[in-house]
Amino acid sequence: MRRTAGLAAASAVALLAAGCGGGGPAGSGDSKLTDDRVVLGVLNDQSGVYADVSGKNSVKAVEMAIADFKAKYGDKAVTKNISVESADHQNKPDIANTKAAELYDRKGVDAILDVPTSSAALKVADVAKAKKKLYFNITGATTALTGASCNRYTFHYAYDSYMLAHGTGTQATQQGAKNWYIVYPDYAFGQDMEKKFSAAVEGAGGKIVGKDATPFPNDNFSTFLLKAPTLNPKPDTLGTMQAGGDLVNLVKQYNEFKLRDKGVGLAVGLMFLTDIHSLTPAALAGTTYTDAWYWNFDQQNRQWADRFLSETGTRPTFAHAANYSAAMQYLEAVQAAGTDDADTVVKGLEGKEINDVFLRNGKIRAEDHRVVHDAYLAQVKPQAEVKEDWDYVKILKTIPAAEAFAQPSGDCKM
């Protein structure tokens, strides 16, 4: 259902008051900002396999955060000059490296957000460290961001491969998926996912009977799918670690080859709402996966999702909500500090506890800058149970923040 513009605006103010934690006394008259402005940068895939899961609509989500911040503080805002720059990294690490440097140096960006594709995400972390500029990774899954590649200026915000594996891998194995064949994209994200899922499955008493790396990006998975029922022992579960457009292609071909009828079920490592919308719930009915956020989980989420729908014509994925939240939390930290000095802002963020439209029981760990929060075990509804467009999921279980993410890694040396 839709809200009126007036109700949406009122809801936005209520969300901000409840979730953003007060803000500081600084106003534009006593702030110390670079060029008297704040510039946020969104660096992501705007033309490839991950364009739908985040893409240009994450730029819109950040613009919504800026509008809400200005509405909350008015003349007391640290500055009214807040803008967004964006760039397309095309899922290529070298381009991500170049674009990140351009955003920081030439566009005057204070903080970069988003950055899907783990190999690209790690490159941007290196740039942020070298430039001493803030970076909130939303859509990269690799735990190296809070492990060996952690640094003072990088925050890992929404999810990671541990959260996905210890939600889906553990739960599915405990529910009867004992023999797994894992296929994963052959780059940092897929390699990390394969390791984390294998550990979770085996830890829950399951067995990995086979695993194969697939090209990235890829539109033909027939070699791997036809191989699955021929393995000995035969897998009862195909664990796919693909995401975005690659996942859509794989699931279509999985259904074309009727693997479910051949006794090979499907478990998805990472899935976004836009993937379900593209494939239709009928293609994924009963599939269990782990989600970081769902738009119709409660009224608070829905009110924000209604605003997002009116702005974009689509419902938000967790990536969109997390980009909004990260942008808002950065602006709140600048407001409280009265400066955009990176080290001062980092100090204000470390250890902060947050409840907002995306983060439930959220906390920014000072040890490694992992943002922990509640996660959700979700299941795709059968088509007959879908009563509203985009409401394709039922939440089976809330995974508490303390359980959803791994403990700080000894590899992280801030």
Side-chain angles (χ1 to χ4, degrees), residues 314-337:
T314 186
R315 290 293 187 185
T317 67
F318 79 71
H320 300 133
N323 272 287
Y324 171 92
S325 172
M328 183 62 71
Q329 293 306 324
Y330 173 75
L331 292 173
E332 289 282 355
V334 172
Q335 178 75 18

Side-chain angles (χ1 to χ4, degrees), residues 265-284:
L266 182 67
V268 177
L270 173 61
M271 187 154 60
F272 291 84
L273 181 65
T274 45
D275 301 327
I276 305 171
H277 187 73
S278 178
L279 288 161
T280 76
L284 290 159

Side-chain angles (χ1 to χ4, degrees), residues 13-327:
V13 173
L15 287 173
L16 290 166
C20 293
S28 58
D30 49 333
S31 67
K32 296 179 181 179
L33 299 178
T34 307
D35 299 326
D36 192 34
R37 62 176 183 156
V38 173
V39 185
L40 299 175
V42 178
L43 179 58
N44 61 18
D45 174 15
Q46 299 185 4
S47 56
V49 294
Y50 298 147
D52 288 343
V53 305
S54 189
K56 294 180 180 179
N57 280 341
S58 281
V59 180
K60 177 57 68 176
V62 172
E63 290 173 347
M64 289 170 62
I66 292 171
D68 289 349
F69 176 81
K70 289 180 177 179
K72 178 179 180 181
Y73 287 102
D75 291 340
K76 294 182 179 180
V78 67
T79 181
K80 295 181 181 179
N81 188 3
I82 309 173
S83 60
V84 185
E85 297 285 345
S86 68
D88 184 354
H89 70 17
Q90 302 172 41
N91 296 312
K92 297 177 180 178
D94 55 338
I95 294 178
N97 184 84
T98 300
K99 293 293 185 182
E102 288 179 357
L103 287 170
Y104 285 136
D105 293 340
R106 296 171 59 182
K107 302 292 186 180
V109 163
D110 297 291
I112 288 177
L113 300 98
D114 207 10
V115 196
T117 309
S118 291
S119 50
L122 291 168
K123 284 288 189 182
V124 177
D126 290 340
V127 178
K129 180 180 180 181
K131 304 291 184 184
K132 297 185 178 180
K133 295 278 191 173
L134 269 77
Y135 165 39
F136 296 85
N137 183 272
I138 307 299
T139 40
T142 177
T143 52
L145 286 168
T146 51
S149 295
C150 76
N151 68 71
R152 177 170 176 76
Y153 304 97
T154 295
F155 295 83
H156 204 182
Y157 207 83
Y159 78 109
D160 60 26
S161 56
Y162 180 97
M163 185 200 90
L164 299 174
H166 286 264
T168 308
T170 299
Q171 293 291 328
T173 302
Q174 290 175 347
Q175 293 170 9
K178 295 301 183 184
N179 293 318
W180 290 62
Y181 172 45
I182 294 179
V183 292
Y184 60 96
D186 194 13
Y187 75 101
F189 160 69
Q191 294 155 9
D192 192 34
M193 288 283 282
E194 181 274 313
K195 291 177 183 176
K196 294 296 190 300
F197 261 78
S198 293
V201 168
E202 291 170 348
K207 182 179 180 181
I208 307 300
V209 301
K211 49 189 167 185
D212 282 306
T214 67
F216 173 79
N218 190 31
D219 59 6
N220 186 350
F221 294 92
S222 59
T223 298
F224 309 99
L225 295 173
L226 292 172
K227 177 181 177 178
T230 70
L231 293 171
N232 186 20
K234 178 182 173 182
D236 53 47
T237 303
L238 173 69
T240 171
M241 305 297 113
Q242 283 69 21
D246 274 15
L247 175 64
V248 170
N249 288 329
L250 186 145
V251 173
K252 286 179 179 178
Q253 292 162 38
Y254 168 88
N255 287 329
E256 288 171 5
F257 293 133
K258 300 184 184 302
L259 289 190
R260 193 180 299 276
D261 294 343
K262 297 176 182 179
V264 182
L266 182 67
V268 177
L270 173 61
M271 187 154 60
F272 291 84
L273 181 65
T274 45
D275 301 327
I276 305 171
H277 187 73
S278 178
L279 288 161
T280 76
L284 290 159
T287 300
T288 301
Y289 68 104
T290 305
D291 208 345
W293 179 88
Y294 184 58
W295 73 269
N296 205 21
F297 175 70
D298 60 16
Q299 191 61 26
Q300 182 181 13
N301 289 10
R302 188 181 180 103
Q303 286 176 351
W304 188 82
D306 286 345
R307 293 179 56 218
F308 188 87
L309 178 64
S310 69
E311 294 275 356
T312 66
T314 186
R315 290 293 187 185
T317 67
F318 79 71
H320 300 133
N323 272 287
Y324 171 92
S325 172

Side-chain angles (χ1 to χ4, degrees), residues 157-169 171 269-271 288-295 297-298 301 318 354-363 370-379 393-406:
Y157 207 83
Y159 78 109
D160 60 26
S161 56
Y162 180 97
M163 185 200 90
L164 299 174
H166 286 264
T168 308
Q171 293 291 328
L270 173 61
M271 187 154 60
T288 301
Y289 68 104
T290 305
D291 208 345
W293 179 88
Y294 184 58
W295 73 269
F297 175 70
D298 60 16
N301 289 10
F318 79 71
I354 305 166
N355 279 284
D356 66 6
V357 73
F358 175 74
L359 298 172
R360 304 299 160 81
N361 298 306
K363 183 176 181 178
R370 169 72 263 172
V371 181
V372 299
H373 57 88
D374 291 352
Y376 307 93
L377 188 66
Q379 186 177 61
V393 171
K394 51 187 173 185
I395 301 300
L396 302 179
K397 176 183 177 182
T398 296
I399 305 171
E403 300 175 15
F405 296 92

